[in-house]
Amino acid sequence: MPTERLINELQSFGVRLVDPKIGHESRRGGAGPSDHKAITIDEVTVMVPVHTAPAFESPYLVEKPDALGRSRITRDGLNLGEVSFPTRPRFYDLSTPDGVPYWKIAVLHGRDVLATTVLQTCIRYQSRTKTCQFCAIGQSLAAGRTVERKTPSQLAEVAKAAVELDGVTHMVMTTGTPAGRDRGAAILADSAAAVKAAVDLPIQGQCEPPEDDVWFERMKAAGIDALGMHLEIATPELRARLMPGKAQVPVESYFKAFAAAVSVFGRGQVSTYILAGLGDTVEVILAASQRLIAMGVYPFVVPFVPISGTPLESHPTPPPGFMHDILDPLARMLRASGLRSTDIKAGCGRCGACSALSTYERGAAA
Ligand code: SF4
């Protein structure tokens, strides 16, 4: 089976692990990929669900690793080859002078990405009527697995260690949305400036579109190299139902912000996450992607993965064929436009671990 099809299958079905302690800690709760583990297949590192309900019944099984850390992966007992797991990063063993473990400040995503949620609270998460139904930003905080507000100096300290000890090559800074017109841009800028003063590390910021476009210049001047503003869902009615708080910022406002951001960060350095499998059709996602690509925005389409404890915890992942019907033409659109994940300076599009998209891109380029 081609690697991109296998990744689609694994991200849809998840995997069962004979040894759940294999690799480094999987994430539970929080923003971004959760209930996942990083797995390396054919030299591509992807996030695969391991703690979700479908994963417990997956036909894919990863066996105990051999002495070299390689594990057999099987489907219904049939050997498919070998996978491996990124090892626990060394910076996880360190703590700040006031005793906060580094892994509560930032974590390793994929193979070489340092990821943090600068502000672990969100105005959209205050009540179940407003919260994004797929989001677990409050869960890791409630469980004591992270701290609410990572200070710029903490982030700088951890980023420097992660570069020096573990060779991370870029950083993702996301944030819950605070009250205020900047929608998180201000704390991202402060955090990026501190990190850049400590270590030369490309940074992607992720926030809702600020109300004033001047924040794009401020974020760029502070050291943010690439920006993500995440639509999540493209169909307005679905947005209103599944993310009622965030949907108060309409799709057209995102598109205005994308245009302004591209003029500051450059073509291909602005991106958006689209969660496939929440009701948007293949046609809607491809039409939105076409419009985004024409503006110079990279549409990072990822399969929705339900997170335990969220209102959508029982919502199914999209079938692998549905993802193929999106990612195959999308990769060709990207190829035709000259937008490439490998040209993104930092962030989810460059990491690519939450989707098979970058593997499709490589196939489209071959
Ligand atoms: S694609 Fe983004 S959210 Fe997913 S593992 Fe990579 S950096 Fe993290």
Side-chain angles (χ1 to χ4, degrees):
M1 185 187 303
T3 307
E4 66 272 17
R5 300 293 288 246
L6 178 59
I7 295 170
N8 273 344
E9 293 248 330
L10 295 177
Q11 292 188 324
S12 180
F13 295 120
V15 295
R16 288 176 293 130
L17 302 172
V18 171
D19 176 5
K21 294 205 186 71
I22 195 170
H24 69 81
E25 292 91 329
S26 46
R27 293 185 65 232
R28 308 291 298 267
S34 198
D35 296 6
H36 284 56
K37 202 177 259 285
I39 297 182
T40 304
I41 308 160
D42 282 350
E43 298 181 13
V44 181
T45 300
V46 288
M47 301 302 285
V48 174
V50 293
H51 294 303
T52 58
F56 297 133
E57 300 185 351
S58 172
Y60 290 95
L61 179 76
V62 171
E63 298 179 351
K64 279 196 169 210
D66 63 17
L68 297 172
R70 293 176 310 215
S71 302
R72 274 198 338 156
I73 182 166
T74 62
R75 180 179 172 135
D76 296 323
L78 195 71
N79 185 16
L80 298 178
E82 284 180 344
V83 298
S84 61
F85 294 81
T87 50
R88 178 184 160 87
R90 283 185 275 187
F91 79 85
Y92 277 21
D93 293 332
L94 303 178
S95 298
T96 61
D98 53 346
V100 182
Y102 279 12
W103 57 264
K104 288 194 178 186
I105 295 167
V107 291
L108 185 74
H109 275 200
R111 187 171 41 85
D112 60 356
V113 188
L114 184 67
T116 185
T117 302
V118 178
L119 177 68
Q120 200 81 30
T121 54
C122 181
I123 51 165
R124 314 292 188 203
Y125 198 78
Q126 303 304 322
S127 78
R128 272 290 178 233
T129 56
K130 282 173 45 183
T131 184
C132 300
Q133 307 270 293
F134 43 79
C135 182
I137 191 171
Q139 283 177 212
S140 46
L141 182 61
R145 288 190 296 268
T146 186
V147 289
E148 179 173 340
R149 172 78 167 92
K150 289 83 174 175
T151 66
S153 63
Q154 285 175 332
L155 291 167
E157 184 178 333
V158 176
K160 189 164 187 296
V163 169
E164 290 171 358
L165 298 178
D166 297 289
V168 305
T169 61
H170 55 123
M171 181 169 189
V172 174
M173 284 182 184
T174 192
T175 180
T177 304
R181 292 163 50 84
D182 66 277
R183 298 215 179 93
I187 51 173
L188 292 177
D190 291 348
S191 306
V195 169
K196 278 284 164 75
V199 63
D200 183 17
L201 184 64
I203 299 170
Q204 184 202 34
Q206 300 181 346
C207 61
E208 290 190 34
E211 281 185 37
D212 190 333
D213 291 346
V214 74
W215 281 106
F216 298 129
E217 277 147 35
R218 289 183 187 154
M219 284 193 278
K220 174 95 165 115
I224 291 178
D225 301 281
L227 186 69
M229 295 184 288
H230 296 169
L231 278 170
E232 326 280 12
I233 301 170
T235 307
E237 302 75 48
L238 284 169
R239 292 168 62 78
R241 182 151 56 83
L242 297 176
M243 37 188 276
K246 204 172 166 187
Q248 286 164 11
V249 181
V251 170
E252 284 313 310
S253 299
Y254 274 78
F255 275 91
K256 276 197 200 116
F258 290 139
V262 169
S263 71
V264 173
F265 290 95
R267 196 169 170 277
Q269 301 303 333
V270 177
S271 60
T272 192
Y273 232 83
I274 296 178
L275 293 169
L278 290 176
D280 282 332
T281 61
V282 169
E283 293 73 25
V284 163
I285 291 176
L286 289 176
S289 299
Q290 185 72 274
R291 187 177 170 196
L292 290 159
I293 291 169
M295 301 174 75
V297 176
Y298 184 90
F300 188 49
V301 180
V302 307
F304 164 73
V305 175
I307 301 173
S308 313
T310 64
L312 289 181
E313 68 176 359
S314 302
H315 190 93
T317 49
F322 179 81
M323 291 311 299
H324 176 76
D325 290 347
I326 296 169
L327 299 181
D328 188 46
L330 177 54
R332 279 186 269 114
M333 280 184 211
L334 286 164
R335 171 81 182 149
S337 73
L339 285 192
R340 289 190 304 211
S341 56
T342 47
D343 291 338
I344 303 174
K345 292 176 189 161
C348 289
R350 173 167 162 189
C351 164
C354 284
S355 169
L357 179 56
S358 55
T359 309
Y360 276 91
E361 271 181 58
R362 277 192 289 282

